[in-house]
């Protein structure tokens, strides 16, 4: 079960009462451009070309970006798959994302959508290499741990280490890790950036996301801060494929 709550600056909180297998369903989307394009316009045709480009460009490495068209009809876009996702599942996610965005944000000149396995973003405005500070949402488990203060410190410690590791990985900007809390409890974490950023900006983005955790995920059993340029996540169960 999900609970949705609108909060300032376009952020969204999604509350999970328990671990949910989201599968191919979107986590969230934002139609961030207020401008529309006619269905038969060159912009629409260029958007289709961009989606076709990302279908083929992204799966081999898990990331790709590109631009199609010129001047006012130029479309810029990127897609990122989670670091452990196979090429086949990455392709499926990017294809689903392009289809869903057409339905959820019809004729919008800029939009973004997130899934467990990938994100896809496009815009008529150039955004490559810039940290996206506008498009962000939270997702967390409403169940709380018993010793929240100590748990929060362990979460911050784990994710801060993963922020350093991911930002120094110039090939993938992706890191996962775990820490044993006690005999029966393991804390798992993940950090990832889009690869159009520099290493410095990747770390800046991740550290900013980690800094948001007290606002959404204080003493929660699991949580995420998900944005257009990076995301961090922690859980008390394994997050990625082995």
């Amino acid at each position: 079960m999900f609970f949705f709550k609108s909060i300032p600056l376009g952020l969204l909180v999604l509350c999970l009462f328990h671990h949910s297998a989201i599968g191919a369903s979107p986590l969230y989307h934002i139609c961030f451009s207020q401008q529309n394009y006619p269905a038969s316009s060159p912009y629409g045709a260029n958007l289709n070309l961009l989606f076709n480009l990302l279908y083929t460009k992204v799966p081999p490495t898990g990331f790709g970006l590109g631009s199609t068209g010129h001047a006012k009809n130029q479309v810029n876009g990127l897609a990122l798959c989670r670091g452990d996702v196979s090429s086949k599942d990455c392709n499926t996610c990017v294809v689903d994302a392009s289809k869903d965005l057409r339905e959820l944000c019809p004729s919008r000149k800029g939009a973004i959508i997130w899934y467990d396995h990938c994100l896809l973003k496009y815009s008529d405005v150039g955004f490559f290499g810039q940290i996206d500070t506008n498009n962000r949402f939270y997702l967390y488990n409403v169940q709380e741990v018993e010793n929240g203060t100590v748990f929060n410190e362990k979460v911050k410690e784990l994710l801060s280490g993963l922020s350093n590791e991911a930002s120094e990985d110039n090939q993938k900007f992706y890191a996962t890790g775990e820490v044993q809390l006690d005999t029966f409890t393991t804390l798992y974490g993940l950090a990832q950036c889009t690869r159009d950023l520099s290493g410095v900006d990747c770390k800046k983005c991740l550290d900013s996301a980690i800094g948001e955790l007290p606002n959404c995920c204080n003493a929660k059993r699991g949580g995420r801060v998900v944005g257009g340029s990076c995301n961090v996540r922690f859980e008390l169960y394994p997050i990625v494929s082995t």
Side-chain angles (χ1 to χ4, degrees), residues 22-28 100 114-116:
I22 298 174
S25 299
L27 295 175
Y28 190 52
D100 287 342
W114 296 268
Y115 300 75
D116 250 359

mmCIF file of all heavy atoms in Angstrom, residues 22-28 100 114-116:
data_model
loop_
_atom_site.group_PDB
_atom_site.id
_atom_site.type_symbol
_atom_site.label_atom_id
_atom_site.label_comp_id
_atom_site.label_asym_id
_atom_site.label_seq_id
_atom_site.Cartn_x
_atom_site.Cartn_y
_atom_site.Cartn_z
ATOM 1 N N ILE A 22 7.780 -3.905 -7.017
ATOM 2 C CA ILE A 22 7.196 -2.921 -7.924
ATOM 3 C C ILE A 22 7.223 -3.407 -9.371
ATOM 4 O O ILE A 22 6.377 -3.081 -10.173
ATOM 5 C CB ILE A 22 7.949 -1.576 -7.785
ATOM 6 C CG1 ILE A 22 7.781 -1.065 -6.357
ATOM 7 C CG2 ILE A 22 7.417 -0.553 -8.755
ATOM 8 C CD1 ILE A 22 8.588 0.168 -6.059
ATOM 9 N N GLY A 23 8.229 -4.224 -9.717
ATOM 10 C CA GLY A 23 8.295 -4.765 -11.063
ATOM 11 C C GLY A 23 8.468 -3.674 -12.094
ATOM 12 O O GLY A 23 9.298 -2.791 -11.957
ATOM 13 N N ALA A 24 7.667 -3.727 -13.142
ATOM 14 C CA ALA A 24 7.805 -2.801 -14.254
ATOM 15 C C ALA A 24 6.984 -1.529 -14.063
ATOM 16 O O ALA A 24 6.974 -0.677 -14.933
ATOM 17 C CB ALA A 24 7.399 -3.492 -15.546
ATOM 18 N N SER A 25 6.289 -1.403 -12.963
ATOM 19 C CA SER A 25 5.478 -0.210 -12.738
ATOM 20 C C SER A 25 6.377 0.978 -12.409
ATOM 21 O O SER A 25 7.372 0.830 -11.700
ATOM 22 C CB SER A 25 4.492 -0.440 -11.594
ATOM 23 O OG SER A 25 3.619 -1.498 -11.887
ATOM 24 N N PRO A 26 6.037 2.181 -12.892
ATOM 25 C CA PRO A 26 6.841 3.360 -12.555
ATOM 26 C C PRO A 26 6.794 3.647 -11.060
ATOM 27 O O PRO A 26 5.767 3.444 -10.408
ATOM 28 C CB PRO A 26 6.161 4.484 -13.346
ATOM 29 C CG PRO A 26 5.343 3.802 -14.402
ATOM 30 C CD PRO A 26 4.937 2.492 -13.814
ATOM 31 N N LEU A 27 7.916 4.107 -10.536
ATOM 32 C CA LEU A 27 7.921 4.610 -9.165
ATOM 33 C C LEU A 27 7.235 5.969 -9.112
ATOM 34 O O LEU A 27 6.459 6.258 -8.209
ATOM 35 C CB LEU A 27 9.358 4.754 -8.664
ATOM 36 C CG LEU A 27 10.180 3.475 -8.507
ATOM 37 C CD1 LEU A 27 11.613 3.827 -8.130
ATOM 38 C CD2 LEU A 27 9.563 2.561 -7.463
ATOM 39 N N TYR A 28 7.544 6.803 -10.107
ATOM 40 C CA TYR A 28 6.995 8.159 -10.145
ATOM 41 C C TYR A 28 7.383 8.799 -11.474
ATOM 42 O O TYR A 28 8.304 8.340 -12.151
ATOM 43 C CB TYR A 28 7.534 8.989 -8.975
ATOM 44 C CG TYR A 28 6.841 10.316 -8.780
ATOM 45 C CD1 TYR A 28 5.459 10.394 -8.685
ATOM 46 C CD2 TYR A 28 7.574 11.491 -8.682
ATOM 47 C CE1 TYR A 28 4.814 11.615 -8.502
ATOM 48 C CE2 TYR A 28 6.948 12.716 -8.484
ATOM 49 C CZ TYR A 28 5.572 12.769 -8.396
ATOM 50 O OH TYR A 28 4.940 13.973 -8.214
ATOM 51 N N ASP A 100 5.478 4.765 -21.513
ATOM 52 C CA ASP A 100 4.708 5.339 -20.414
ATOM 53 C C ASP A 100 4.749 6.860 -20.420
ATOM 54 O O ASP A 100 3.752 7.521 -20.117
ATOM 55 C CB ASP A 100 5.231 4.804 -19.076
ATOM 56 C CG ASP A 100 4.856 3.350 -18.843
ATOM 57 O OD1 ASP A 100 3.925 2.863 -19.522
ATOM 58 O OD2 ASP A 100 5.485 2.707 -17.984
ATOM 59 N N TRP A 114 10.794 7.381 -13.406
ATOM 60 C CA TRP A 114 11.681 6.484 -12.665
ATOM 61 C C TRP A 114 11.017 5.126 -12.466
ATOM 62 O O TRP A 114 9.820 5.035 -12.224
ATOM 63 C CB TRP A 114 12.001 7.029 -11.275
ATOM 64 C CG TRP A 114 12.763 8.307 -11.211
ATOM 65 C CD1 TRP A 114 14.121 8.467 -11.129
ATOM 66 C CD2 TRP A 114 12.213 9.636 -11.142
ATOM 67 N NE1 TRP A 114 14.442 9.800 -11.031
ATOM 68 C CE2 TRP A 114 13.293 10.544 -11.032
ATOM 69 C CE3 TRP A 114 10.911 10.139 -11.155
ATOM 70 C CZ2 TRP A 114 13.104 11.914 -10.942
ATOM 71 C CZ3 TRP A 114 10.726 11.511 -11.081
ATOM 72 C CH2 TRP A 114 11.824 12.385 -10.967
ATOM 73 N N TYR A 115 11.838 4.086 -12.517
ATOM 74 C CA TYR A 115 11.446 2.719 -12.184
ATOM 75 C C TYR A 115 12.500 2.159 -11.231
ATOM 76 O O TYR A 115 13.542 2.770 -11.016
ATOM 77 C CB TYR A 115 11.402 1.834 -13.439
ATOM 78 C CG TYR A 115 10.446 2.283 -14.504
ATOM 79 C CD1 TYR A 115 10.743 3.374 -15.311
ATOM 80 C CD2 TYR A 115 9.249 1.611 -14.727
ATOM 81 C CE1 TYR A 115 9.868 3.799 -16.302
ATOM 82 C CE2 TYR A 115 8.369 2.023 -15.726
ATOM 83 C CZ TYR A 115 8.684 3.117 -16.498
ATOM 84 O OH TYR A 115 7.812 3.528 -17.473
ATOM 85 N N ASP A 116 12.256 0.959 -10.718
ATOM 86 C CA ASP A 116 13.289 0.292 -9.936
ATOM 87 C C ASP A 116 14.546 0.055 -10.771
ATOM 88 O O ASP A 116 15.661 0.147 -10.277
ATOM 89 C CB ASP A 116 12.764 -1.058 -9.430
ATOM 90 C CG ASP A 116 12.546 -1.055 -7.930
ATOM 91 O OD1 ASP A 116 12.826 -0.023 -7.285
ATOM 92 O OD2 ASP A 116 12.085 -2.075 -7.395
#
